[in-house]
Amino acid sequence: MKRLVINGGKALKGDIYVGGSKNAAVAILPATLLTEEPCLIENVPNVSDVRIIIKILKNLGAECRWEDNSTLYVDTKNVNSSKAVDEEVSRMRGSYYLIGALLGRFGQAEVALPGGCTIGNRPIDMHLKGFSSLGAKVDEEYGTVVANAENGLRGAGIYLDKVSVGATMNIMLAAVKAQGNTTIENCAREPHVVDLANFLNSMGAHIRGAGTDVIKIRGVKELHGAKGYSIIPDQIEAGTFMIAAAATKGDVTVHNLIPRHMEALTAKLEEMGIGVDEGEDEIRIYSNGEFRGTTFRTQPYPGFPTDLQPQMSVLLSLANGESNVYESVWENRFAYVQELNRMGAQIEVNGTAAEIHGPKKLKGVGLRCPDLRAGAALTIAALAASGKSYLTDIKYIDRGYADFEGKLRGVGADIEREEVETND
Ligand code: EPU
C-alpha cells in the first residue's frame, strides 16, 4: 500500500505549473474514435484516469503512444469493435464518453459502466435520453448500456432537465456526425465543454455556442485527424494549489492557467482577505494566515466548482469566524469532514450544507482519502497542520493529479510517498 507522509506547518513558496485538464482529456481521448486518421494531442495529463482511457482505447484496437511526457499520439483506424465491456471500463466514471464516441463512429455501442460512487448516485439518464432523441435504441441491462442506431443517428432538439457536464459532452460526441442539425439546450458551460467542442471543430466538426447554454451542431459526414491540439489547463488542479498556498501562509505563483476560469475562486479568496495577483497566464496567491470566513454555494460553471469545495472548506476551517458551504451538485461530498474534524476542525454537516467554525489549529493525524478531491483537501489540511500526517488510499489522488507530491515539494512542502506493508 502506498501512502503520503506529510510534515506540516511549512509555508509553500515559489512557482508551480499546472498540467492539462483531466475532465477535458477523458472526453477528448474517446473523441479520437470519431476519425480514422491519427490525432496528436498535447498537454495530456498523465493521471490514472487518462491511463485507463488509453488502455481501453488500446483494447479496442487503437494505437496510442506517448511522444513525450504530455503529448499523445492516437490512431483508431484499426478499431473495429463497438464493444467496451472489460474490467477497465467499469473502473472509471468518465468511460461513459465511450458510448457517445462509439455511437458516433459505428452507430452502435455496448459499454459497461460503474455503479454509484462515494460522492453521489451519478445517474446518466440524460445522456441516454439524448442518444434516444438522436434515434438510437438504448437499453441498460446489468450495468451495461447497449445503444443501437440501425438507421444512423439523426440531429434533434434536446433539452437537458438539469445542467450536466457529462450529458452535454456525450451528446456532442454522438451528434457531430449525425445527419442534420442538433440543438442542446440548458447545457453545461464548463471550460472542458468548450475544449471538447474546439477539439472536434479542429477535426472538421461544426459546433457553435459551446460555453453558452445552447449548443448548435451541424452534422458532418467525416472528421479528419487533429494535429497538435493542446488541451486546456486543469482549472481544478490550479485551484487546489492556489488554496494550498493560502492555507499554508505561503506565497506561490501558479503558472499555466487561464485566469478567467478561476474567477469564482479568486473572487472568494479576495473577499476573505487573501492576496491575489492575476497575470496573463498565472496567478500569485499570498497570505499571512489572517483571513476571514465566507459563504459559498457550489454550482455549474461559472459558479463555484464542486470539485474545489472540499479544498475550500479546509481553508475556511483556518479562517476567522463562521462560514457556510452549500453543495448543490453532489449529494455526498462531505465525506472528508469526519477526517478533518479529527485534525481539529469544527464542521457540522446537515444534509448538503456545512457550517464551519473557525479559526482552528489543525494537527497531523493518520488520514484516509474518501475520494479524489477529498484526498486533495486532506493533503492541504496536512500541509497546514502542525506535526506529521499519514494519508492512505492515495489512489484516488492519482486519478486526477499528476506528480502531486512532486509539484508540492517543488514549492517547499515536506511530503513523501512511501510503500508500507499491510496485514490484509
Ligand atoms: N445528473 C443526472 N442525470 C444525468 C447526469 C447528471 O441527474 O444523466 C446529475 C448528477 O447526479 C449531478 C448533476 O447532474 O447531481 C451534475 O452532474 P454532471 O453530469 O455535471 O457530472 P459528471 O459529468 O458526471 C463531471 C466531472 C466531475 C464533476 C462534475 C461537475 C468528469 C469525468 N467528471 O462529472 O468531476 O464533479 O462534472 O462539475 O468530467 C472530479 O473531477 O473530481 C469529478 C467528480
Side-chain angles (χ1 to χ4, degrees):
M1 180 188 72
K2 290 195 170 61
R3 68 178 184 183
L4 290 177
V5 183
I6 302 162
N7 242 318
K10 297 194 170 44
L12 300 185
K13 290 207 163 121
D15 299 276
I16 204 161
Y17 293 79
V18 172
S21 162
K22 173 202 64 124
N23 288 345
V26 296
I28 284 177
L29 296 191
T32 61
L33 287 164
L34 293 166
T35 178
E36 294 193 20
E37 291 179 14
C39 294
L40 197 63
I41 309 163
E42 295 166 5
N43 209 28
V44 181
N46 193 343
V47 295
S48 69
D49 272 5
V50 164
R51 291 192 295 271
I52 293 173
I53 292 275
I54 293 173
K55 202 153 180 216
I56 296 169
L57 289 173
K58 281 184 172 170
N59 289 350
L60 281 168
E63 186 189 342
C64 304
R65 61 168 190 268
W66 291 98
E67 298 284 343
D68 59 38
N69 58 8
S70 64
T71 305
L72 191 70
Y73 170 93
V74 187
D75 184 350
T76 66
K77 74 169 173 298
N78 292 329
V79 173
N80 50 25
S81 164
S82 57
K83 206 166 162 178
V85 291
D86 40 4
E87 193 238 330
E88 269 79 30
V89 184
S90 46
R91 269 172 65 201
M92 64 169 292
R93 296 296 311 172
S95 52
Y96 49 49
Y97 290 126
L98 290 162
I99 313 172
L102 288 168
L103 254 181
R105 166 92 171 244
F106 297 111
Q108 56 183 43
E110 189 175 333
V111 179
L113 293 176
C117 71
T118 47
I119 61 171
N121 213 356
R122 308 198 78 165
I124 59 159
D125 54 308
M126 292 190 293
H127 303 224
L128 303 185
K129 190 178 125 189
F131 301 143
S132 301
S133 303
L134 294 171
K137 183 176 173 297
V138 183
D139 291 304
E140 199 181 350
E141 276 180 0
Y142 305 108
T144 296
V145 172
V146 182
N148 215 318
E150 266 171 21
N151 303 316
L153 294 168
R154 283 171 190 280
I158 297 164
Y159 178 85
L160 299 180
D161 297 325
K162 190 172 179 185
V163 177
S164 159
V165 175
T168 304
M169 288 162 79
N170 222 346
I171 294 169
M172 220 152 70
L173 288 168
V176 276
K177 286 172 73 183
Q179 207 184 338
N181 298 328
T182 297
T183 304
I184 317 172
E185 288 186 74
N186 196 32
C187 44
R189 292 177 282 170
E190 264 66 4
H192 33 293
V193 173
V194 180
D195 207 35
L196 175 65
N198 287 342
F199 178 72
L200 291 167
N201 284 343
S202 81
M203 297 163 81
H206 194 279
I207 304 171
R208 299 292 178 261
T212 75
D213 57 4
V214 181
I215 293 179
K216 296 190 173 186
I217 302 168
R218 175 155 57 76
V220 295
K221 273 216 167 76
E222 293 297 329
L223 292 183
H224 54 76
K227 294 174 191 73
Y229 185 87
S230 184
I231 292 180
I232 51 161
D234 196 302
Q235 169 205 14
I236 305 303
E237 186 192 8
T240 301
F241 292 139
M242 287 163 62
I243 294 170
T248 59
K249 305 182 192 175
D251 186 345
V252 173
T253 302
V254 184
H255 297 265
N256 278 356
L257 51 67
I258 298 175
R260 192 167 38 85
H261 294 169
M262 308 308 305
E263 273 168 11
L265 175 63
T266 46
K268 279 292 154 195
L269 295 178
E270 282 177 332
E271 189 186 305
M272 292 170 71
I274 289 162
V276 178
D277 284 350
E278 266 185 37
E280 211 156 278
D281 64 356
E282 74 274 330
I283 297 180
R284 175 182 165 217
I285 298 292
Y286 50 100
S287 148
N288 59 8
E290 277 302 312
F291 42 82
R292 49 192 171 272
T294 187
T295 287
F296 74 93
R297 176 182 298 276
T298 65
Q299 270 168 342
Y301 189 83
F304 195 95
T306 172
D307 294 346
L308 285 176
Q309 180 263 102
Q311 300 89 315
M312 191 65 172
S313 297
V314 171
L315 190 62
L316 294 177
S317 295
L318 306 167
N320 289 311
E322 304 273 313
S323 299
N324 288 284
V325 175
Y326 301 98
E327 173 57 59
S328 73
V329 180
W330 300 115
E331 68 267 28
N332 190 19
R333 219 168 193 181
F334 288 116
Y336 61 90
V337 165
Q338 209 182 346
E339 297 290 75
L340 199 54
N341 282 349
R342 285 177 48 240
M343 298 178 82
Q346 194 189 340
I347 304 181
E348 285 151 35
V349 176
N350 190 354
T352 53
E355 213 174 275
I356 304 179
H357 308 271
K360 294 285 177 240
K361 286 202 181 344
L362 304 181
K363 206 166 164 296
V365 294
L367 298 161
R368 196 188 67 78
C369 298
D371 62 72
L372 163 58
R373 305 305 172 186
L378 292 175
T379 305
I380 296 174
L383 290 169
S386 60
K388 216 175 219 185
S389 296
Y390 298 92
L391 187 56
T392 58
D393 273 353
I394 57 174
K395 60 179 186 286
Y396 291 112
I397 294 179
D398 294 337
R399 298 184 77 146
Y401 295 88
D403 190 23
F404 192 47
E405 67 272 18
K407 288 188 184 185
L408 287 168
R409 260 198 310 275
V411 286
D414 183 345
I415 178 170
E416 292 294 338
R417 178 177 294 236
E418 67 173 29
E419 186 77 44
V420 280
E421 295 219 350
T422 49
N423 294 327
D424 43 51

